[in-house]
Amino acid sequence: MRSRRRQGWWYRISRLLGFRIACVLLGIVGVCALVPQLVADRSPSTNPTECSLRAADGAYQDREAPSAAHWFGTDAQGCDEFSRVVYGARTSLEIGLGAGLITTIGGTALGLVAGWRGGIIDAIVRRLADVTLGIPLIVGSILLLSVLVNGRRTPTQIMVTLAVQLWPGSARIARSVTRTITHLPYVEAARSMGASSTRIVVRHVLPNALPVVIAYATPLIGVLIGAEATLSYLGIGLQVPTVSWGVMINDAQGLYSRSPYLLLFPGAFLVAAVTGFILLGDALNDSLDVHLVRA
Amino acid sequence: MGHLIGRRILGAAATFILSTLVVFGAAFALPGDPARVIAGRRTVPEATLRAIRIKYHLDETLPQQYLRWLGGLLRGDFGQSYASRRPVTDILVEALPVTAKLLGLTLVVELTGGAVLGVLAAGRRGGRFDSGVLASCVIGLAVPAFVLGAVVQDVFGVRWRILPVAGTSSTFAYVLPACTLAVTGYAVAARVMRSQAMTHRSEPHVVVARAKGVSEGAITRRHVVRNALIPFVTFVGLEIGTLAGGSIVTERIFNLPGVGRVVARAISQRDNALIIGFTMAVIAVYLVVDLLADLVAVVLDPRLRVQ
């Protein structure tokens, strides 16, 4: 019994250094995103949108360097940078996880159908994937967000914009697994015993495709978080007063020579979140059974 | 082989036509009045709107508009900028030399860096050097250009004064932007090269070569690198599109007067005609480069000719 457990997935993954680092990084970002009040309360200024241009003595103040009162300093509006960075975690994770979920479910479904039915449906899905891959993520997002969206852009619009461009990856994986599996003897056996298509897909194809799809989707979440920040930086993503790392970095751009901390703190959290997802994805790839995919 | 090349070219053409449909659908066919967008935020009389509609052929049916637009694209006419009223093609072509120089230098940096470090890491699998390269890849993927760019600008340009911070005064001015833009591509390239080299290291012909006493250096040069370079060519094809997107960020940070900066300005001016033209140009360039990469791969690897 013990020896079997030693070969288990958890045993393999928990020994990887990358996995441990990922746990720490994502743990920090995750706590900030789930209970920002709790984290921000440790610092003297708690509310990210409650900003004061006047200091305690009533004098007007400018950006402040990090101090005991403001751990990460204050920005040009006198807002506390620490609580803004903490609250920004939620925006980033929301968009990363939301868009990741939409694109993975959609892509997997398309890939399953294409691989299972084959023929014309398969041809259409593959051609659509080619078209989608031909438009670079940032270029396509600029096109969609600037042409389609008038007025304020919501997080949902950013999520959908990113998701509709990234589905080919998981579709390709799901299709490849489906095509490999349908020729295996046990699927043949299930079919000859009268199992329906739905049953075969749900019982045999999906469980085999899932680990691979998850290992692919995890670093993708990091990519999505980075993409949101890039779009916000270019002024095409989220906007003030939404608290987001990309928006904060965009604001800090021209102030770098005098107040580098305004760029470095949100930048560091952004890098930590993306690194966490990349390392977690690598660890999943190394520890899960991914032999069924020959893309 | 001629048959195969013909099929690839047809496939690329079909993808191009489909992407024009997608872009046209996204840009022109959706609710909203383009005439009002061209007119801007001002309130304009109905007669002016009608004149705009006639001038930009918005009074025609959608299929007519699409065919007119597609015909223009094929003749190299990417429409007219809403903001400056000049042809989009002229604006993009004027800015192209700066971007071409930036992307060329970026490709050289990321491909040589990625290939060399990837192969060396594969040869020392599990060692300290290998772990270092892998860590640099993770960091390269995770640090966004707009954070890295600001930091290198400050360190190399302002504090140490080694390299120009911005502008295009000399070729040296391109070094910081190119290195900033190259970091992500380097990370992907090094990972591709490392895993490819590792796969080829354990192939039977390499084992035989080693058994008959060929030196490790010769094995790497003759058997591993040459095989690993084939998927690398495909990577270059994909990378062009990504770099076109990345140049928008990099040129903004380093204030380079290239295509990326033109697009960044178009975003703030809501110049949709220029954004659409740029998108189609990127798609066209990507498809051509990808096609060339595919053909080069076929020439390099006879196995790909059998299908």
Side-chain angles (χ1 to χ4, degrees), chain B residues 69-88:
Chain B
W69 178 69
L70 182 64
L73 285 185
L74 296 178
R75 289 194 308 270
D77 173 11
F78 285 74
Q80 203 184 25
S81 155
Y82 292 165
S84 66
R85 307 270 185 250
R86 293 177 54 217
V88 170

Side-chain angles (χ1 to χ4, degrees), chain A residues 6 8-20 287:
Chain A
R6 283 190 142 255
W9 165 74
W10 178 252
Y11 178 78
R12 268 176 287 153
I13 197 169
S14 60
R15 291 173 59 87
L16 297 170
L17 175 67
F19 178 73
R20 295 179 186 174
S287 62

Side-chain angles (χ1 to χ4, degrees), chain A residues 124-187:
Chain A
I124 292 174
V125 169
R126 283 174 69 184
R127 190 55 77 188
L128 269 179
D130 278 351
V131 171
T132 314
L133 288 173
I135 309 176
L137 184 62
I138 296 301
V139 178
S141 306
I142 291 172
L143 177 78
L144 290 174
L145 288 170
S146 64
V147 175
L148 295 188
V149 182
N150 274 311
R152 280 192 59 76
R153 291 175 287 273
T154 63
T156 319
Q157 285 167 339
I158 312 270
M159 270 187 238
V160 173
T161 302
L162 294 172
V164 293
Q165 296 181 78
L166 285 168
W167 62 270
S170 41
R172 193 166 278 187
I173 292 167
R175 174 178 175 275
S176 152
V177 174
T178 312
R179 287 173 72 95
T180 317
I181 292 214
T182 39
H183 299 298
L184 293 182
Y186 69 88
V187 175

